[in-house]
Amino acid sequence: MSKVVDARGLSCPQPVIMTLDEIKAGNERELEVLVDTDTSRENVSRAAEHQGWTIADVVEDGSGYKVIIKKD
């Protein structure tokens, strides 16, 4: 089971910072990042890819997005 980073309701750069903190902690190979704006989805995706992670899936749930990122 992947760790969930719930950044809903937060403005950038907070979702990016929270995601990068989890990536840098190095404890997970998969993260689910919950965000509620297009800007946060794009910024989190870009930051994760910059760290060498892959965007496995992006699921829109009506109130936001679940961005699933993985480290191979």
Side-chain angles (χ1 to χ4, degrees):
M1 182 165 200
S2 58
K3 176 151 183 149
V4 176
V5 177
D6 188 353
R8 291 175 291 187
L10 301 174
S11 300
C12 277
Q14 279 303 112
V16 171
I17 291 169
M18 292 171 67
T19 302
L20 292 177
D21 284 347
E22 287 299 327
I23 287 174
K24 289 176 183 173
N27 298 326
E28 305 293 333
R29 308 278 309 159
E30 179 176 313
L31 295 172
E32 292 183 16
V33 184
L34 307 177
V35 295
D36 53 5
T37 67
D38 291 337
T39 301
S40 293
R41 174 183 49 83
E42 292 169 6
N43 289 343
V44 164
S45 297
R46 189 176 320 116
E49 288 175 330
H50 188 72
Q51 295 297 314
W53 287 56
T54 302
I55 309 305
D57 199 5
V58 177
V59 180
E60 186 174 0
D61 68 3
S63 63
Y65 301 94
K66 177 169 57 176
V67 181
I68 301 170
I69 60 174
K70 293 183 177 182
K71 179 70 174 176
D72 294 325

